Amino acid sequence: MKVVLDHLTKKFPNRNKKVGGFVVAVNDFTFEIPDGKLIGLLGPSGCGKSTTLNLICGLEKPTEGRILFGDDDVTGLPPEVRGVGLVFQNYALYPHLTVEENIMFPLGNLRGEEKLTKQQMKDKALEAAKLVQIDSLMERKPNELSGGQQQRVAIARALVKMPKVLLLDEPLSNLDARLRLQTREELRRIQNETGITTVFVTHDQEEAMSISDMIVVMKDGVLQQIGIPQEVYDEPVNLFVAKFLGTPAINVFEGRVKGGSLYIGEDSVLDVKGVDDRDVYVAIRPEGFIVDDSGRMKCTLLRREVMGRDSSVVAKNDAFIGETIRAIISSETKVDTSKPDIRFSLKPAKTYLFDRSTEERIRFSV
Amino acid sequence: MSNQNDYDRIERNAKRRKLIKNTVIYIFLAIWGLMVLFPFYWMILSSIKSYSAYSSEYIPKFFTLSPTLQNYSEAFTAVPLGKYFLNTLIFTLCTTVLMMVVIILAAFAFARLEFRGKNIVFALFLSLMMIPNELVIITNFVTITDLGLRNTFAGLILPSVTSVFYIYLLKENFEAIPEELYKAAKVDGTSDFKYLVRVMLPISQPTIVTIIILKVIECWNSYVWPRLITDNSNYFLVSNGIQEIRENGFGRENIPAMMAAVVVISVPLIVLFLIFRKKIMAGVSRGGTKG
Ligand SMILES: Nc1ncnc2c1ncn2[C@@H]1O[C@H](COP(=O)(O)OP(=O)(O)O)[C@@H](O)[C@H]1O
Ligand SMILES: [Mg+2]
């Protein structure tokens, strides 16, 4: 089922009554989730991700805008008739019910033609439990399960009705690192098997990039960029997106363009054609540095950290915004650590220019 | 070597101290237990002394050598105790069921629903707790009399079908249930009412059971209000019934027969308490920490 958000806006009355006014949690969202895809909704905490999910599933009513499932306008429909499955960060299992009863809970609410017999419900619950591999735990209560198992039960409960849309609100952030990796692959598998259109909310860019067909980056309720993960990583539209994606984080410098040449400090580091003379932010991906004795960018070398296949060079530069520059280079590359300085040349495709005031991307050709 | 001795001594000292401490505690608890149990013993003892034996004891004896069950049959024949029993049962059941419905819905409204003036209404509710019962009884009496409900079950039941304190207790319990559960249930397709019945009530079960037990005890033992609002013996509860044995049983107070009646009407409560003892304790401790 394709899901369309059409100029969606949600304003909350400010929680702090003294300040008054409104918090715009979601601001004029327009995008389309293609049928059967897994979308990663990505942004820092408090940017309105959960609110967006709540709007899609109907727990919140939008202030403005429409939501379409396929061609049907569901904006005014209550959550129970939308046919969505929702998984919460803290699982939200019913503590007094067994795993099986938890999974069957949504089925017990079906009415009319859809109403199922007890045996049908049990069968469906077992099917869903098998999908997430918890069919051996059916008789346990939630408090007898580990975090990862509880999360699986929550996913099974969301899937048992075969929802048109599956919504996951930071489903992995309460799990430990290993379990998180494992569960996210499992989620990907389940989504592939069922083909249910899925929205996956996270503040962890790596998580979103690794499993999503498409990512949606948002900030303060405003949509920043949509695209397949690699594309968004390679072509960020603004400084926020560039900084938000990638580990280690992108390196940002103050720079300026003069006569078709990009300056960081006093060094002319790159030729940038088609850009007027102006002050800019220069953002360089860690893998955008090439150690090169005749390189045009000079930095103070601090140390080299070997991390197996790759190694990183930690350096300083006066124009750098933040603490230390981090460049990722191949482990075979020789670095003379006895010298105080190191020289880099830059990969143009990994170097981005952004306007100083709007922070929008400035394109250049080499 | 001396080290070993030291350890032995310390260990022995600790053991001795623990023994003394335990002895003191147990003696204290035993005395306490005796004090609590003594009235029960006295009640049962008096109920099996014959009327003449009881009357002739200038100083009541702590035992009897000629126990009799005579008083029990007298209690049931002197007054229609069976009928009062039934009345009390009806009164207790109706009051408790009605009150549970009222307080559950009220607590749900205060805990889950958003409506204008919610906080003010709740504050008013709470302030009602500060008005002593005795004051309310007079106005209740006037109201019920004006409604023409004297000597009816409705008149008996109505004033106690709500309880601010229990609403408060239950509201606190409901509020401790995470918001996500409500959202999950909504997405799973439940109505508010179904959520209340299928999720909130089962989760709050210990508190609910506690409230039911306490209310049943309160109803079973209620005396002032039934005494005030009924003068037709068709609507007497057991508490009034006992009073009747005393007043018009034999011209003179028949204490042993009264005590026999008291024993009979205490039994259901004691049985109830024994059955639900664990649940009551769980509910009380949970309500306590959550509050
Ligand atoms: N019910 C509400 N009332 C008032 N403000 C809210 C409410 N829900 C969310 N907000 C505000 O909306 C913004 C977005 O919240 P949320 O969607 O929960 O962010 P995220 O899930 O991305 O962390 C936050 O500033 C939050 O304080
Ligand atoms: Mg959130």
Side-chain angles (χ1 to χ4, degrees):
Chain A
M1 178 80 51
K2 175 179 84 172
V3 176
V4 181
L5 310 186
D6 181 20
H7 295 286
L8 206 60
T9 298
K10 178 68 188 179
K11 295 179 184 165
F12 286 113
N14 206 318
R15 280 208 183 102
N16 184 345
K17 295 250 164 58
K18 285 192 192 107
V19 179
F22 290 95
V23 179
V24 185
V26 175
N27 195 348
D28 200 20
F29 248 60
T30 300
F31 72 86
E32 184 179 320
I33 304 168
D35 183 28
K37 292 284 190 240
L38 194 159
I39 298 291
L41 191 54
L42 182 61
S45 194
C47 72
K49 304 181 296 293
S50 299
T51 308
T52 309
L53 276 202
N54 288 346
L55 288 170
I56 296 176
C57 73
L59 287 169
E60 302 277 3
K61 293 262 165 293
T63 317
E64 279 163 44
R66 296 188 310 152
I67 300 163
L68 306 170
F69 282 9
D71 296 322
D72 306 328
D73 189 335
V74 297
T75 318
L77 295 183
E80 53 267 32
V81 296
R82 288 197 187 186
V84 293
L86 183 57
V87 176
F88 294 90
Q89 178 177 351
N90 58 5
Y91 322 132
L93 298 177
Y94 306 113
H96 60 293
L97 301 180
T98 64
V99 167
E100 184 178 37
E101 288 164 338
N102 261 287
I103 300 175
M104 285 186 345
F105 192 88
L107 300 176
N109 297 318
L110 298 174
R111 284 290 163 266
E113 289 170 25
E114 292 182 310
K115 199 166 161 55
L116 300 171
T117 65
K118 190 92 189 167
Q119 193 53 47
Q120 284 172 316
M121 292 191 336
K122 275 181 177 290
D123 292 346
K124 288 209 172 204
L126 187 64
E127 201 181 311
K130 279 198 176 129
L131 200 58
V132 294
Q133 296 164 351
I134 45 154
D135 44 312
S136 58
L137 307 171
M138 295 299 251
E139 298 311 318
R140 301 235 191 133
K141 288 273 176 73
N143 61 8
E144 297 163 342
L145 300 177
S146 71
Q149 291 168 334
Q150 290 187 34
Q151 189 58 287
R152 283 155 193 263
V153 178
I155 293 167
R157 186 179 64 185
L159 284 174
V160 72
K161 263 200 302 190
M162 278 299 143
K164 298 172 198 150
V165 182
L166 178 63
L167 307 170
L168 304 149
D169 193 350
E170 312 216 12
L172 308 181
S173 49
N174 281 2
L175 304 179
D176 63 52
R178 262 190 63 191
L179 209 52
R180 200 177 319 167
L181 270 176
Q182 188 189 338
T183 314
R184 99 184 171 201
E185 256 137 51
E186 202 117 304
L187 268 178
R188 182 71 254 199
R189 171 183 65 80
I190 292 167
Q191 201 273 336
N192 277 340
E193 278 176 28
T194 56
I196 295 174
T197 311
T198 303
V199 182
F200 180 96
V201 163
T202 174
H203 61 259
D204 181 339
Q205 53 90 20
E206 199 188 325
E207 204 168 276
M209 304 251 290
S210 63
I211 71 166
S212 310
D213 293 318
M214 258 171 107
I215 58 171
V216 177
V217 185
M218 60 188 290
K219 175 197 175 193
D220 298 338
V222 181
L223 193 152
Q224 306 289 313
Q225 190 169 0
I226 309 177
I228 59 174
Q230 193 62 46
E231 193 180 286
V232 177
Y233 181 80
D234 286 339
E235 300 292 337
V237 296
N238 59 31
L239 185 61
F240 173 82
V241 176
K243 284 205 290 204
F244 200 74
L245 297 185
T247 37
I250 201 164
N251 300 290
V252 184
F253 301 82
E254 284 177 345
R256 64 185 191 287
V257 175
K258 214 170 93 185
S261 205
L262 174 64
Y263 287 84
I264 292 178
E266 293 311 310
D267 302 337
S268 155
V269 295
L270 201 69
D271 293 329
V272 289
K273 288 193 196 115
V275 182
D276 303 337
D277 292 2
R278 64 206 289 189
D279 285 345
V280 292
Y281 286 118
V282 186
I284 308 166
R285 291 273 177 219
E287 65 273 24
F289 294 95
I290 304 163
V291 179
D292 179 357
D293 286 337
S294 58
R296 291 161 67 181
M297 183 170 178
K298 188 172 139 199
C299 295
T300 315
L301 179 62
L302 292 179
R303 62 184 180 275
R304 174 177 186 165
E305 291 172 3
V306 182
M307 308 176 296
R309 189 163 45 81
D310 296 328
S311 66
S312 68
V313 172
V314 182
K316 271 184 106 136
N317 187 300
D318 287 340
F320 184 69
I321 301 172
E323 283 298 307
T324 51
I325 304 164
R326 217 164 248 280
I328 305 280
I329 55 172
S330 142
S331 288
E332 283 109 53
T333 312
K334 296 237 172 353
V335 176
D336 187 351
T337 43
S338 61
K339 286 199 203 135
D341 292 333
I342 185 166
R343 287 190 162 273
F344 297 113
S345 53
L346 303 179
K347 296 180 190 167
K350 294 286 178 185
T351 305
Y352 310 99
L353 303 187
F354 298 100
D355 188 277
R356 274 283 176 94
S357 52
T358 63
E359 302 189 351
E360 292 296 321
R361 174 96 179 267
I362 301 164
R363 310 237 163 215
F364 63 88
S365 48
V366 188
Chain B
M1 191 64 207
S2 74
N3 224 343
Q4 183 63 41
N5 279 340
D6 274 356
Y7 281 137
D8 282 352
R9 217 186 51 230
I10 291 170
E11 210 167 282
R12 240 178 298 127
N13 273 346
K15 259 193 196 147
R16 193 177 326 134
R17 223 172 295 139
K18 200 171 167 200
L19 190 71
I20 294 173
K21 200 174 121 199
N22 277 348
T23 315
V24 170
I25 288 177
Y26 277 104
I27 290 176
F28 186 76
L29 285 179
I31 295 175
W32 191 263
L34 279 180
M35 275 161 54
V36 171
L37 285 178
F38 184 72
F40 281 95
Y41 173 70
W42 199 248
M43 172 176 87
I44 293 168
L45 179 70
S46 305
S47 77
I48 56 173
K49 283 180 180 170
S50 72
Y51 180 64
S52 52
Y54 180 86
S55 311
S56 63
E57 287 171 4
Y58 182 61
I59 298 169
K61 293 207 183 88
F62 280 83
F63 58 91
T64 176
L65 294 174
S66 51
T68 168
L69 290 177
Q70 176 66 24
N71 298 310
Y72 286 86
S73 65
E74 236 155 60
F76 277 94
T77 47
V79 294
L81 195 60
K83 164 95 178 138
Y84 298 161
F85 225 100
L86 194 67
N87 285 350
T88 312
L89 205 64
I90 295 172
F91 167 75
T92 303
L93 280 182
C94 293
T95 310
T96 308
V97 168
L98 282 175
M99 187 199 74
M100 288 321 288
V101 172
V102 170
I103 65 163
I104 285 171
L105 293 179
F108 179 79
F110 282 125
R112 267 257 60 100
L113 304 182
E114 287 302 328
F115 53 92
R116 200 181 273 273
K118 175 166 115 170
N119 292 334
I120 295 173
V121 173
F122 192 67
L124 281 175
F125 259 61
L126 283 188
S127 64
L128 280 182
M129 281 206 309
M130 291 168 204
I131 302 175
N133 247 339
E134 288 77 4
L135 271 180
V136 185
I137 269 191
I138 298 168
T139 54
N140 276 352
F141 181 77
V142 175
T143 312
I144 295 292
T145 308
D146 285 352
L147 290 172
L149 293 177
R150 294 203 61 184
N151 289 319
T152 61
F153 276 114
L156 276 171
I157 291 165
L158 270 182
S160 39
V161 293
T162 185
S163 156
V164 176
F165 177 68
Y166 292 149
I167 291 176
Y168 170 75
L169 196 66
L170 210 50
K171 169 186 174 266
E172 293 292 313
N173 248 271
F174 284 174
E175 277 178 349
I177 299 172
E179 173 86 16
E180 272 80 13
L181 236 46
Y182 179 68
K183 290 187 174 172
K186 277 271 134 189
V187 175
D188 288 346
T190 52
S191 60
D192 274 11
F193 182 72
K194 215 164 170 193
Y195 175 68
L196 172 67
V197 174
R198 292 200 44 194
V199 180
M200 279 177 129
L201 292 187
I203 292 178
S204 311
Q205 191 210 33
T207 309
I208 303 235
V209 171
T210 309
I211 292 177
I212 291 177
I213 303 268
L214 291 177
K215 187 66 181 178
V216 165
I217 293 175
E218 183 195 315
C219 288
W220 202 261
N221 290 340
S222 64
Y223 174 69
V224 176
W225 179 252
R227 177 91 183 143
L228 211 57
I229 208 69
T230 56
D231 47 20
N232 176 343
S233 67
N234 273 333
Y235 295 97
F236 277 0
L237 305 186
V238 278
S239 50
N240 307 78
I242 298 167
Q243 197 63 18
E244 243 202 347
I245 297 177
R246 188 181 134 131
E247 282 169 356
N248 35 8
F250 296 90
R252 276 209 298 155
E253 317 184 313
N254 187 348
I255 298 290
M258 261 178 76
M259 284 303 157
V262 170
V263 170
V264 171
I265 66 177
S266 311
V267 167
L269 283 192
I270 293 169
V271 169
L272 202 66
F273 184 82
L274 288 181
I275 293 174
F276 289 103
R277 194 177 40 171
K278 284 228 175 68
K279 285 240 161 85
I280 295 176
M281 293 322 291
V284 169
S285 54
R286 208 176 90 136
T289 51
K290 287 283 184 254

